[in-house]
């Protein structure tokens, strides 16, 4: 059911092409709505047929979603995909009483109505979650628009996101990566080793990462990939968990990578306080992907 709805939503928009100004107004409306806890401003974006709103992979009622709570946001960053008529927004709320890191993608139809809005809402107890750490690492990063003559093609930008995930299941895949050589995983910098201009990261190589949904913005050299990440929550076996990775690409190499990964159980089944305790009562607990 979920699958067919999402596929319908995506199919409806595959041919849509729309302007950056429209997409920017949509992400601005989304960020303002989350700050104010005014979910109605976001639900109003999506009145097209087959519209679906997901939070942590669950069909969600706007009125009881995280969007209905006012959240003090320290950093918001959006990318805009004019080919797919889609957007991605990263929200970091470290100084909110309840810290969050939220990744949201919105897909619009040719009628400029949202067909799909989905959020990965992470908080204490999710994979390496630390909003303060996320904020500190994020702040010095530069995500300025890339001059036209220096931009990588859409295909190249997207292929680097794919290379990253392909490498989890294939040790022979090369992932072009440059300085500063860390991935911001939850709130921790997972650092690689810089050899010359190349960042060498250590990876597992037995994990096939399915359900990839892309948002690409060549102007920013950015691709975000929503995936299902198998084995992330040890209490769920190999079921794919809701996960999003945002990449900044410059000169054909990954420069930055930010992750948001949601677990069903606090601590992701790692039997410790590694990721802190969760007692914060999210209504929509993350569910494994199954579409
Ligand atoms: C979160 O990150 C901040 C900033 O790096 C650090 O000071 C703090 O100890 C971290 N908290 C946990 C629980 O790891
Ligand atoms: C693994 O990656 C290499 C290098 O890109 C590629 O040639 C090979 O076909 C891949 N293997 C599988 C099973 O996908
Ligand atoms: C966590 O503890 C449970 C119960 O003791 C055990 O079955 C499980 O294998 C442990 N998981 C990990 C990842 O250590």
């Amino acid at each position: 059911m979920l699958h067919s709805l999402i596929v319908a939503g995506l199919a409806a928009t595959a041919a849509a092409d729309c302007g950056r100004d429209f997409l920017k107004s949509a992400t601005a409306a989304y960020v303002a709505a989350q700050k104010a806890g005014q979910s109605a401003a976001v639900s109003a974006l999506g009145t097209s047929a087959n519209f679906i709103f997901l939070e942590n992979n669950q069909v969600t009622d706007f009125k009881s979603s995280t969007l209905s709570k006012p959240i003090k946001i320290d950093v918001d960053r959006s990318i805009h995909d004019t080919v797919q008529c889609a957007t991605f927004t990263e929200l970091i709320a470290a100084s909110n009483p309840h810290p969050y890191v939220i990744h949201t993608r919105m897909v619009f139809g040719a009628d400029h109505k949202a067909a799909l809005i989905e959020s990965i809402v992470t908080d204490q107890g999710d994979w390496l979650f630390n909003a303060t750490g996320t904020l500190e690492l994020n702040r010095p990063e530069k995500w300025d628009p890339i001059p036209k003559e220096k931009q990588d093609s859409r295909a190249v930008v997207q292929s680097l996101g794919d290379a990253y995930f392909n490498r989890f299941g294939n040790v022979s895949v090369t992932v072009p990566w440059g300085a500063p050589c860390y991935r911001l995983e939850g709130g921790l910098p997972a650092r690689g080793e810089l050899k010359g201009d190349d960042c060498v990261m250590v990876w597992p190589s037995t994990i096939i990462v399915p359900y990839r949904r892309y948002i690409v913005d060549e102007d920013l050299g950015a691709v975000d990939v929503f995936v299902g990440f198998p084995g992330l929550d040890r209490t769920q076996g190999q079921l794919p968990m809701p996960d999003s990775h945002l990449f900044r690409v410059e000169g054909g190499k990954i420069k930055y990578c930010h992750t948001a990964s949601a677990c069903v159980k606090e601590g992701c089944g790692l039997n410790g306080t590694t990721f802190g305790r969760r007692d914060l009562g999210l209504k929509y607990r993350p569910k494994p992907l199954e579409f």
Side-chain angles (χ1 to χ4, degrees), residues 69-140:
K69 305 172 195 167
I71 295 179
K72 180 174 185 295
I73 294 168
D74 301 299
V75 167
D76 67 272
R77 173 178 291 116
S78 292
I79 74 173
H80 303 95
D81 185 331
T82 56
V83 174
Q84 294 193 86
C85 204
T87 66
F88 166 80
T89 301
E90 170 185 42
L91 301 177
I92 303 169
S95 50
N96 194 57
H98 176 153
Y100 290 102
V101 173
I102 301 173
H103 284 197
T104 294
R105 71 186 192 108
M106 304 196 283
V107 183
F108 294 86
D111 58 358
H112 284 189
K113 294 297 180 192
L116 175 76
I117 297 178
E118 85 168 303
S119 289
I120 296 176
V121 178
T122 65
D123 67 359
Q124 194 67 50
D126 283 315
W127 186 262
L128 293 175
F129 181 86
N130 181 347
T132 310
T134 305
L135 185 63
E136 281 186 11
L137 287 155
N138 234 285
R139 276 205 160 126

Side-chain angles (χ1 to χ4, degrees), residues 245-264:
H245 279 54
L246 172 65
F247 301 91
R248 161 88 167 192
V249 172
E250 286 183 22
K253 290 182 180 178
I254 293 173
K255 183 170 185 186
Y256 303 128
C257 169
H258 302 168
T259 75
S261 313
C263 292
V264 174

Side-chain angles (χ1 to χ4, degrees), residues 6 69 81 95 132 141 154 167 170 177 200 218 256:
I6 291 171
K69 305 172 195 167
D81 185 331
S95 50
T132 310
E141 291 184 354
R154 182 180 177 85
R167 174 63 185 77
N170 182 347
W177 201 311
V200 181
E218 304 94 301
Y256 303 128

Side-chain angles (χ1 to χ4, degrees), residues 24-288:
K24 282 187 166 173
S25 69
T27 51
Y30 165 73
V31 174
Q34 183 63 84
K35 284 180 177 167
Q38 297 291 339
S39 62
V42 173
S43 62
L45 296 174
T47 53
S48 72
N50 295 323
F51 173 63
I52 182 165
F53 175 56
L54 301 174
E55 184 170 308
N56 289 333
N57 199 36
Q58 298 215 58
V59 174
T60 298
D61 174 8
F62 275 107
K63 292 196 187 75
S64 56
S65 72
T66 303
L67 263 169
S68 69
K69 305 172 195 167
I71 295 179
K72 180 174 185 295
I73 294 168
D74 301 299
V75 167
D76 67 272
R77 173 178 291 116
S78 292
I79 74 173
H80 303 95
D81 185 331
T82 56
V83 174
Q84 294 193 86
C85 204
T87 66
F88 166 80
T89 301
E90 170 185 42
L91 301 177
I92 303 169
S95 50
N96 194 57
H98 176 153
Y100 290 102
V101 173
I102 301 173
H103 284 197
T104 294
R105 71 186 192 108
M106 304 196 283
V107 183
F108 294 86
D111 58 358
H112 284 189
K113 294 297 180 192
L116 175 76
I117 297 178
E118 85 168 303
S119 289
I120 296 176
V121 178
T122 65
D123 67 359
Q124 194 67 50
D126 283 315
W127 186 262
L128 293 175
F129 181 86
N130 181 347
T132 310
T134 305
L135 185 63
E136 281 186 11
L137 287 155
N138 234 285
R139 276 205 160 126
E141 291 184 354
K142 291 215 168 11
W143 286 74
D144 300 338
I146 298 173
K148 280 275 182 246
E149 66 279 9
K150 290 196 170 164
Q151 286 179 13
D152 288 302
S153 69
R154 182 180 177 85
V156 165
V157 172
Q158 181 169 327
S159 75
L160 285 170
D162 266 330
Y164 175 92
F165 286 112
N166 290 344
R167 174 63 185 77
F168 277 92
N170 182 347
V171 74
S172 307
V173 172
T174 303
V175 185
W177 201 311
C181 200
Y182 65 86
R183 51 180 203 270
L184 177 42
E185 198 167 316
L188 280 181
R191 295 189 192 279
E193 190 187 344
L194 203 53
K195 291 190 172 157
D197 290 336
D198 292 319
C199 172
V200 181
M201 290 266 180
V202 176
W203 258 288
S205 46
T206 54
I207 303 171
I208 305 296
V209 183
Y211 304 129
R212 300 183 193 179
R213 294 93 83 204
Y214 309 89
I215 305 289
V216 181
D217 183 335
E218 304 94 301
D219 285 8
L220 288 176
V223 56
D224 188 274
V225 195
F226 269 54
V227 303
F229 208 104
L232 190 78
D233 184 333
R234 307 308 195 250
T235 67
Q236 305 297 304
Q238 288 305 305
L239 293 176
M241 296 306 298
D243 180 292
S244 158
H245 279 54
L246 172 65
F247 301 91
R248 161 88 167 192
V249 172
E250 286 183 22
K253 290 182 180 178
I254 293 173
K255 183 170 185 186
Y256 303 128
C257 169
H258 302 168
T259 75
S261 313
C263 292
V264 174
K265 299 280 193 227
E266 75 269 17
C268 307
L270 291 175
N271 286 353
T273 52
T274 324
F275 308 150
R277 298 299 300 177
R278 189 210 305 276
D279 59 354
L280 300 165
L282 274 188
K283 181 169 159 87
Y284 294 96
R285 299 290 344 124
K287 270 179 58 180

